[in-house]
Amino acid sequence: MLENFVSPYDAHVVERLAGAGMVTLGKLNMDEFAMGSSNETSYFGPVKNPWDTARVPGGSSGGSAAAVAARLTPAATGTDTGGSIRQPAALCGLTGLKPTYGAVSRYGMIAFASSLDQAGPMAKSAEDCALLLNAMAGFDARDSTSLERPAEDYTRDLEQPLAGLRIGMPREFFGDGMDADVRAAVEAALAEYRKLGATTVEVSLPNSGLSVPAYYVIAPAEASSNLSRFDGVRYGYRAPEYTDLNDMYSKSRAQGFGAEVKRRILIGTYVLSHGYYDAYYLKAQKIRRLIAADFVEAFKQCDVIMGPTSPSVAFAFGAKSADPVQMYLSDIYTISTNLAGLPGMSLPCGFGQGGMPVGLQIIGSWFGEAKMLQAAHQYQKAADWHTRMPENLK
Amino acid sequence: MSQWEVVIGLETHAQLRTKSKIFSGSSTAFGADPNVQANAVDIALPGVLPVLNREAVVCAIKFGLAVGATIAPRSVFARKNYFYPDLPKGYQISQFEVPVVQGGGLAIKVGAANDPNATAIDKQVRLTRAHLEEDAGKSLHEDFHGRSGIDLNRAGTPLLEIVTEPDMRSSAEAVAYARALHALVQWIGICDGNMQEGSFRCDANVSVRRPGGPLGTRREIKNLNSFRFMQQAIDFEVQWQINEITEGRAIQQATVLFDPDTGTTRAMRSKEDAHDYRYFPDPDLLPLEIGPDWIAEVKSGMPELPQAMQARFHAEYGLSAYDATIVTASFSMADYFVTAVASAGAANAKTIANWIMGELAARLNKSDMPIEASPIAAAQLAGLIQRIADNTISNNIAKKVFEALWNGEGSSADEIIDKQGLKQITDSGAIEKIIDEVLATNQKSVEEFRSGKEKAFNALVGQAMKATRGKANPQQVTDLLKKKLGA
């Protein structure tokens, strides 16, 4: 749809990073319109995981993750609507952070689901992510959902010790859905945290099981509307032949969008339709509020929440692409933070089956990025998983 | 007709007079070359976001205050989704479930607009709501070798959509409401009211029913951009619906267009083709919150409203209801009147109103000029009227001075009176002398009068006035002449 489209303006995050002296090397591959968890929906063909080129790098920011993992660039940006920074970071052995909703301006990001989208950094370490976030975050009057708050130094607490840190372990994140290798690595990481002076406490997010279904109502609903502008009229793909206006719309969109994008537009159109709106969209919004309320309760008992980023390590190409629901479930642990607007990050915490990296997810309270980064950095001072790189690159 | 009751509700789109668009910084000025006033937001490039223009909200608050409505403390922007080439995002940002202005009403006078002797019927039209939204662009279906052109200059222009309850019972009432609304939005400065340029457009929902019966099925006449067309379109539509029903055909809900060339309405789309707009709250915009402080601030900057002004003019200056309505027909007219009264004093207010409605209106009308372009400023008219009041000039001479002021022969009434020697002669000695001369040279008229011909008296007055070139005080002339003739 946008193969030859060159934006005549820069996104806020691009302006900010350029202003901080960063050099943009180029654009990276991703799932089409950020809709995918494996990079297999990319119009340009899938990105391969540098740890094992038979496996997916995760998605949707799979190109960003693979480029950093392959040491082609020290850092990359990604966008995260349901896990699109954290899941590929986990699958590629990186540190990636999705900020609190409203911390980073969405101006210039192609919207997937406006109420969930956030841009964030992907790099080797928490310290790099903190430095990148210092440049990327901040109020932007061009995004009405950007929050006007004083500028923060996200590196300020990095060197603070973790003694007294209360880590919440959601019962629902440590159930049956997680593979054994992922569980082993995550539990080892939590043991390491206890050694560093943190305490762990079991918390509950009782509605988290509803996060995937609620997300797959809200995100497609917003996407179906956000993607309406790609109509072949002003820019982007237009079908070469058509009979009239409606035919031009139908053919341009049928030919210009991939299957996953069309699936989500159809779902979104359906849930917003007359007669279905209350049953789907409104109900999903109610669930969203319940999910946020669960986190409010949980954060009464802890400072950060930890658990797996993804239920499995990177899977083989084709393993889930035939079953969209299986694919959607790979974001089961990341989606609830987007629905609640919370910050979340993933950092490497070991290796699992096939020598593939495992990601530990840290979820902070609203605007708790500095606390999250502190926890990640202190762990990375004690463990060196984040410094490992694929054998074939050495 | 009396066995049918007509039911009409109106939806009006008023373009708001903001400098920039409702969600972008582009200019809203009319008439620029196509697409030069369309920036990245207006053409919906990937990644752009809307930012609400506060001035558009101020306009909505002003309107809400002017019609006695509730200003919602929290209202929500929603997306109305449909595909059309002049709708760049594929959705229009509007308000749906929670509009910014809720309720309110507008007082109208039916049947008295052009006739001081007719009894106007007062009526209150209830408003359902008024909400903020963005205008679409324009599709240009000509001059492109079989293709259509798209001009996005208008895309994103702020609109206030004002919706009434189905309270109007005739085309005359609908037109009276539309005129009153048209005057009001200009009065409070939120819309320029230019109907040719599309700044003020109405849709009319029309149905007919047996009096007291359930509401009939309505058809919506779209895009009425003149009061005359509104009247014609509704009248045609009503007759058409009555004929259909009378001939046993049920009315189908539909959207229709009025063709001014044929004076008929024709269906554009039926209910079956109606869009499902899939409204949902726009996640790019926060709910619009309006606190009491903001409302108070807007209120303090509002002009006095026409109805309050009419009541005040009646109470303070003794203007009749009709006169008060005429001098408050537009904000500029009222402003002219108020300025003139401030200059000439309240005692002259009635005379000022008469001159504005009489001499000035006629002259402006003849020259096809709005009152704000009048060559005679309010203070100049006030100066003229003061000279009538203090007997410096008569009414007849005043008309001459008015003409001279209009033609720019002087900067004030005083200057013209002085320069052209038009000061009224009020010295009884001087007038007496002239009367004596008139009596001496018009013996025939004197005899005729004495023999009972009343008309001859008027001829003598005329001669005396003529001898003074109209400057003698006519009352004094009459009195003195009567005395001389012993009448």
Side-chain angles (χ1 to χ4, degrees), chain A residues 2 5 7-9 101 105-111 114-115 141-145 221-222 224-231 233-235 238 245 249 253 268-270 272-274 277 281, chain B residues 23 40-52 79-92 96-97 147 150 152 275-286:
Chain A
L2 291 176
F5 178 79
S7 177
Y9 73 100
Y101 186 78
S105 169
R106 294 184 293 114
Y107 186 79
M109 279 171 52
I110 297 182
S114 311
S115 72
R142 297 168 301 184
D143 174 1
S144 307
T145 62
E222 294 183 10
S224 71
S225 176
N226 283 332
L227 270 58
S228 293
R229 67 189 60 198
F230 305 112
D231 57 5
V233 174
R234 296 168 313 289
Y235 54 78
R238 183 189 290 185
L245 179 64
Y249 283 144
R253 289 168 64 81
T269 303
Y270 178 81
L272 290 176
S273 295
H274 186 71
Y277 179 85
Y281 184 79
Chain B
F23 298 118
V41 174
D42 306 320
I43 66 175
L45 285 182
V48 296
L49 295 167
V51 178
L52 179 61
R79 293 184 183 179
K80 179 180 182 179
N81 294 283
Y82 66 96
F83 285 98
Y84 204 69
D86 61 22
L87 188 72
K89 294 188 294 296
Y91 58 85
Q92 177 195 30
F96 185 54
E97 284 181 334
R147 294 167 160 220
I150 307 294
L152 297 177
H275 292 290
D276 178 356
Y277 291 117
R278 291 173 281 120
Y279 281 101
F280 74 105
D282 191 335
D284 286 332
L285 291 161
L286 303 177

Side-chain angles (χ1 to χ4, degrees), chain A residues 92-117:
Chain A
C92 290
L94 304 182
T95 308
L97 185 147
K98 177 204 97 74
T100 306
Y101 186 78
V104 172
S105 169
R106 294 184 293 114
Y107 186 79
M109 279 171 52
I110 297 182
F112 163 11
S114 311
S115 72
L116 302 163
D117 296 341

Side-chain angles (χ1 to χ4, degrees), chain B residues 411-433:
Chain B
S411 63
S412 70
D414 284 341
E415 189 193 319
I416 289 163
I417 293 166
D418 194 43
K419 219 159 61 181
Q420 304 189 7
L422 298 173
K423 192 171 184 316
Q424 185 159 254
I425 301 166
T426 51
D427 172 3
S428 358
I431 295 175
E432 206 171 339
K433 204 175 144 220

Side-chain angles (χ1 to χ4, degrees), chain A residues 139-159:
Chain A
F139 175 67
D140 177 13
R142 297 168 301 184
D143 174 1
S144 307
T145 62
S146 162
L147 283 152
E148 206 166 355
R149 330 174 57 245
E152 260 189 77
D153 177 6
Y154 294 102
T155 65
R156 65 181 187 269
D157 293 331
L158 289 182
E159 299 305 335

Side-chain angles (χ1 to χ4, degrees), chain B residues 205-330:
Chain B
N205 282 292
V206 180
S207 63
V208 297
R209 66 173 170 185
R210 299 287 181 186
L215 282 174
T217 304
R218 66 174 197 269
R219 303 212 311 165
E220 183 181 17
I221 315 170
K222 280 281 192 196
N223 264 330
L224 296 164
N225 61 358
S226 96
F227 300 125
R228 195 161 54 91
F229 291 164
M230 177 182 290
Q231 180 115 34
Q232 289 173 0
I234 294 173
D235 287 343
F236 177 86
E237 178 64 23
V238 164
Q239 201 49 56
W240 183 87
Q241 290 190 14
I242 292 170
N243 289 348
E244 288 291 294
I245 297 169
T246 311
E247 287 169 25
R249 288 186 292 271
I251 303 295
Q252 304 296 322
Q253 193 174 325
T255 303
V256 306
L257 283 178
F258 175 66
D259 181 347
D261 294 333
T262 59
T264 60
T265 55
R266 68 183 160 79
M268 190 164 81
R269 56 173 185 259
S270 72
K271 195 187 174 188
E272 287 72 44
D273 317 321
H275 292 290
D276 178 356
Y277 291 117
R278 291 173 281 120
Y279 281 101
F280 74 105
D282 191 335
D284 286 332
L285 291 161
L286 303 177
L288 170 58
E289 292 189 345
I290 302 173
D293 291 354
W294 195 6
I295 296 174
E297 185 194 320
V298 173
K299 196 173 192 171
S300 68
M302 292 262 290
E304 186 180 7
L305 296 173
Q307 276 187 302
M309 230 180 218
Q310 286 159 21
R312 185 163 66 82
F313 291 169
H314 180 65
E316 291 181 12
Y317 309 140
L319 296 197
S320 71
Y322 175 78
D323 289 1
T325 309
I326 298 293
V327 295
T328 56
S330 74

